[in-house]
Amino acid sequence: MVITRSGPPTTHDSVLWRVPLSGPPSSAWQQSFQGAGASTGVASARGVQFEREGLSFRSDEAHVPEWIESIDRWIAHANTTQAIVEDGQRSDASRAREQTDARRQKASDANEKFKNL
C-alpha cells in the first residue's frame, strides 16, 4: 500500500507537529521510513513518531519546512522499498504456484500413464 502525506502539518503548541498520512503505515513500512537515513542537521527520520494514520515530530516553526521536505523524501523511500519487497513476495508466490502446478501435472500424467494396469 502506498502511503502519502495527506495534508499540511498542524500543531497545538508550535513545538509538536502532526502530519496526516493517507493510511496506517505497517511496521515494515515504518522501518523502511526510519532506515532512510539522510538526516539533515535539523531533521532525522529517527525523530519521527508514528500514529495510526499520521506521524509527529518536534520542531520550532523555523525548521518545519525542512522537516516536511525530509519527511516527503522518507515517505518516497519507504514506498519504493515496500514496492520492491511486495514485488519479490509476488514473484515468490507465483514461483511456488508454478512448482505446485508442475507437481500436480506430473502426478496426473503418471496416473494417466498407468490407469489401465
Side-chain angles (χ1 to χ4, degrees):
M1 171 186 192
V2 174
I3 304 287
T4 59
R5 183 167 58 89
S6 61
T10 57
T11 187
H12 294 288
D13 62 5
S14 297
V15 175
L16 181 63
W17 297 86
R18 184 178 185 286
V19 175
L21 298 175
S22 61
S26 68
S27 56
W29 189 94
Q30 291 177 34
Q31 289 173 351
S32 296
F33 179 100
Q34 291 187 320
S39 297
T40 67
V42 173
S44 167
R46 299 264 181 220
V48 171
Q49 298 297 312
F50 291 95
E51 303 167 6
R52 173 130 175 85
E53 290 190 17
L55 55 83
S56 60
F57 63 94
R58 293 186 177 280
S59 175
D60 59 26
E61 287 185 37
H63 294 112
V64 170
E66 185 175 342
W67 270 97
I68 296 303
E69 183 179 310
S70 295
I71 286 168
D72 287 345
R73 273 195 324 274
W74 300 328
I75 287 172
H77 172 81
N79 285 332
T80 299
T81 301
Q82 287 308 295
I84 291 167
V85 168
E86 290 169 6
D87 286 347
Q89 290 171 339
R90 277 192 291 276
S91 294
D92 291 347
S94 177
R95 224 177 350 269
R97 277 192 303 279
E98 289 170 3
Q99 290 171 347
T100 299
D101 291 347
R103 282 192 301 272
R104 285 182 182 150
Q105 185 61 49
K106 186 176 179 180
S108 178
D109 292 346
N111 289 333
E112 183 65 26
K113 181 178 179 180
F114 296 109
K115 73 178 181 182
N116 293 324
L117 291 179

